[in-house]
Amino acid sequence: MGKNVVALMLQEYENLTKSERKIVDYVLAHQTETQYISITDLSAVCDVAVSTISVFCRKLKLAGFNDFKLELAKAALLAGAELGGDSAGEEVLPGDPVSAVMSKVHHTAQDTLSKAFHMLAAASVDRAAELLLEARQVVCLGQGNHSVVALAACAQFSTTSPKFKTIQDSHLQTVVLSTLSERDVVLYFSYSGATHEVLEAAELIRSRRARLILVTRFLNSPASAYADAVLLCGPNEQPLQFGSTDAIIAQLYVVEVLLSEFTRRDPEEAERCRQSVGKALTQKCV
């Protein structure tokens, strides 16, 4: 696009509807916050429909809300460069020595874990652990970077119970979800909770009357409406990050909390499974 999105909003302001002007007013007053907000949260703070935000984005010749946030981030970077502004204190800069890079990454990881701890609600963990314990089988799923978390979760839980599994291929995921029963649980990792994949999966899980545990950053995400338990975690990702290690670290923290609680509630079964796994794995050592 020619002009940056902020200039374009100001140019088109008089041609917008009353509801669309409310969106512009909020965005201009909260440019940084809007880069991290979900479309459902923005609709709530502006008191407009989600569809209004989508129409507003299309009026700006953008593909959708995520595209809008990308352009907003670009505008912020441009403004910072023009003002000679400095980046965030923990951002790795081109001139940083290795020691500074190590320190900044360390501090960022610490901050991520601290925020994940404060975001995670004990009541939600309790509900999720109960669902996992009662389940006939648990399917761990995720898309993109978060499929790695699903794989790690399955690997961890498989040492304590044989009922955990994961599927990486999207077509096979659909096959497995379409055969779930009421006694099955899906543990789904999605930062936004607003992708086509997670919504299609959530609808299929509900149609099978299975249970859904959603690990996400946004409580009011579209997929949260389908979930039996929502576990909140994750840093504020900038639109230009396209998935971050920090988000994976936060979700792995949730996995470890769930694993500890799951094991605590049935220590005998977990110990039997771990003994069996440990004995088998020793045969692989040289």
Side-chain angles (χ1 to χ4, degrees):
M1 59 193 303
K3 296 184 177 181
N4 73 56
V5 72
V6 173
L8 190 57
M9 285 190 295
L10 293 172
Q11 176 185 302
E12 297 294 325
Y13 191 84
E14 296 302 323
N15 299 322
L16 300 175
T17 66
K18 182 178 179 181
S19 294
E20 291 166 346
R21 290 179 186 178
K22 290 169 69 175
I23 298 171
V24 174
D25 291 341
Y26 178 85
V27 171
L28 292 178
H30 306 86
Q31 289 189 43
T32 300
E33 295 91 329
T34 306
Q35 294 179 48
Y36 307 117
I37 203 169
S38 68
I39 190 170
T40 48
D41 287 340
L42 181 61
S43 70
V45 296
C46 294
D47 192 26
V48 300
V50 169
S51 58
T52 300
I53 299 175
S54 298
V55 171
F56 166 73
C57 293
R58 288 196 293 272
K59 282 188 177 181
L60 298 178
K61 309 300 182 184
L62 299 171
F65 184 60
N66 284 336
D67 195 15
F68 173 75
K69 292 201 294 183
L70 283 173
E71 292 299 328
L72 196 62
K74 291 177 184 177
L77 288 173
L78 180 62
E82 290 175 347
L83 293 172
D86 201 359
S87 301
E90 297 304 327
E91 183 177 347
V92 176
L93 303 175
D96 284 342
V98 173
S99 59
V101 173
M102 293 169 59
S103 177
K104 288 182 176 183
V105 171
H106 176 238
H107 289 156
T108 299
Q110 285 185 316
D111 186 55
T112 294
L113 285 173
S114 178
K115 289 178 179 177
F117 166 72
H118 289 292
M119 289 181 69
L120 193 59
S124 298
V125 173
D126 179 72
R127 175 57 175 155
E130 179 184 358
L131 290 171
L132 295 177
L133 203 62
E134 295 176 350
R136 179 181 68 93
Q137 69 169 338
V138 179
V139 184
C140 304
L141 298 180
Q143 297 292 333
N145 288 358
H146 304 295
S147 63
V148 176
V149 183
L151 184 61
C154 181
Q156 288 287 82
F157 276 99
S158 292
T159 64
T160 64
S161 172
K163 64 184 177 182
F164 290 84
K165 65 180 181 180
T166 187
I167 306 96
Q168 298 292 295
D169 182 81
S170 61
H171 292 283
L172 292 179
Q173 287 180 5
T174 301
V175 171
V176 170
L177 293 179
S178 66
T179 60
L180 294 175
S181 74
E182 295 181 12
R183 296 178 56 203
D184 296 331
V185 171
V186 176
L187 177 59
Y188 206 112
F189 299 88
S190 173
Y191 178 84
S192 69
T195 64
H196 291 297
E197 290 84 359
V198 67
L199 290 175
E200 290 170 1
E203 290 173 355
L204 193 49
I205 293 165
R206 173 172 287 186
S207 72
R208 299 298 301 173
R209 297 184 179 179
R211 302 302 183 92
L212 172 62
I213 300 171
L214 179 66
V215 183
T216 184
R217 171 64 179 80
F218 302 104
L219 180 61
N220 295 320
S221 66
S224 296
Y226 295 87
D228 298 275
V230 178
L231 302 176
L232 291 180
C233 73
N236 288 327
E237 284 191 343
Q238 293 183 1
L240 295 172
Q241 282 186 286
F242 308 112
S244 67
T245 302
D246 292 336
I248 293 175
I249 290 173
Q251 292 186 346
L252 287 174
Y253 166 74
V254 173
V255 170
E256 190 64 28
V257 170
L258 281 179
L259 178 65
S260 299
E261 185 62 13
F262 178 80
T263 303
R264 186 183 70 83
R265 297 191 182 199
D266 193 359
E268 291 81 9
E269 175 62 21
E271 183 59 26
R272 279 194 295 271
C273 193
R274 282 175 170 168
Q275 289 288 345
S276 180
V277 170
K279 185 176 181 180
L281 288 179
T282 56
Q283 305 303 316
K284 292 184 173 293
C285 296
V286 177

